[in-house]
Amino acid sequence: MIEAAMIWNEPNNKSHWDMGLDPDWALFARTVTLAGQAIRAANPAVTRVLGGMSPIDPQWLRRMEGHGALDHVDVVAVHGFPLDWNLWPIHAWPDKIAEIEAVTQLPIWATEVGVGSFGAEEVQVFGLKRTAELLLGRVPRVFWYSLFDLPMAWGAETRHREAEGSSYYRHFYMGLIREDGTPKPALEEYERVASEMGLMQWFHFEDPRLADAVAWMKRLGTRRLRTGLSWADSFRPDATDWFDRQMEALAPFDVTLTFCFTPDHLGIEPHHTSPAREPERFADFCAWAIDRYAPAAIPTTVAAVSSQVLA
């Protein structure tokens, strides 16, 4: 079941939205507004989530409020990786949540939290346990990033890649399961909280790990999953067939579905981080996906009238 739709991913992270093309955030705010309206029209029961902030930045959220974007979402999301990329300690998680609570009345979800095993797998065990202690019960939704390590051959979605040094290579060690399919020690720690802490797992186009991911999540007792459908991928041949298979496989879980990534031919510049020339096209994609994978239920009164007419 799809319980929520997230509008973009880490927009204030320059690896995911080209701030140079949108310096006052007006284009992103319009993108959020149109997408939020489209999702609400397609199914009012789906929770609309503002794509997770990374870094956690109350001033950026005030900017979104000033543009009116927060009127079209139901939840604000944050992402944090204090032992890998952020410049604050893991024990500051409650303070980071409080910073956002101070500037909005909207609920706050932690839709990506994680600690990698780049330096030592024991660090990941500690990080998962401490993150769970600090966030479970503090916010309504927490999603651990991620189930699987990113295969080295696939490459990470960052602007400067290897030039980032260890910051780049850490992307490949965030999973609870190694690239070869063997579990890391932190998997056992996650299993203890799997009913409360969801998983965040991206699936690439035609991802061969999909069936294994479903099997692992069922075995672990995971209830909630955050993943995504790529707007850019929607223009690939047979994209709908892949989307259908992905969403059918994930049906047993409560899914937060993220919509992001600009197709090259629709961006101001030909890159997935570029703002779209026509954000209405992005909103159309969001509406299409919700209508296909989370269609609004027919109200009981409407169903009753329809039955009488057909009779």
Side-chain angles (χ1 to χ4, degrees), residues 118 148-157 161-162 165-166 168-174 178-180 204 209:
F118 177 80
F148 294 133
D149 275 350
L150 178 66
M152 292 293 290
W154 290 11
E157 296 286 356
R161 300 177 71 82
E162 289 88 344
S166 70
Y168 175 74
Y169 288 101
R170 288 174 184 272
H171 286 91
F172 300 93
Y173 295 88
M174 304 304 293
R178 304 180 188 93
E179 183 178 354
D180 65 6
H204 289 222
R209 307 169 301 174

Side-chain angles (χ1 to χ4, degrees), residues 236-256:
R236 293 175 182 261
D238 302 320
T240 301
D241 289 344
W242 161 244
F243 289 165
D244 286 352
R245 283 187 280 118
Q246 177 181 340
M247 299 314 300
E248 181 179 3
L250 301 178
F253 309 99
D254 292 335
V255 175
T256 293

Side-chain angles (χ1 to χ4, degrees), residues 206-310:
E206 300 284 5
D207 198 316
R209 307 169 301 174
L210 178 60
D212 286 343
V214 170
W216 270 111
M217 289 189 291
K218 288 180 176 178
R219 187 183 316 168
L220 292 165
T222 302
R223 294 169 50 212
R224 299 188 182 99
L225 171 72
R226 178 179 162 238
T227 190
L229 292 185
S230 166
W231 183 30
D233 281 349
S234 71
F235 289 90
R236 293 175 182 261
D238 302 320
T240 301
D241 289 344
W242 161 244
F243 289 165
D244 286 352
R245 283 187 280 118
Q246 177 181 340
M247 299 314 300
E248 181 179 3
L250 301 178
F253 309 99
D254 292 335
V255 175
T256 293
L257 190 59
T258 306
F259 302 125
C260 58
F261 297 146
T262 304
D264 284 357
H265 68 287
L266 294 179
I268 294 174
E269 291 186 351
H271 196 272
H272 71 273
T273 68
S274 174
R277 296 193 304 270
E278 303 172 60
E280 296 85 357
R281 300 280 295 274
F282 176 68
D284 289 344
F285 171 68
C286 296
W288 171 85
I290 294 299
D291 189 57
R292 189 173 185 88
Y293 303 116
I298 301 175
T300 303
T301 53
V302 174
V305 170
S306 298
S307 297
Q308 293 171 7
V309 170
L310 290 172

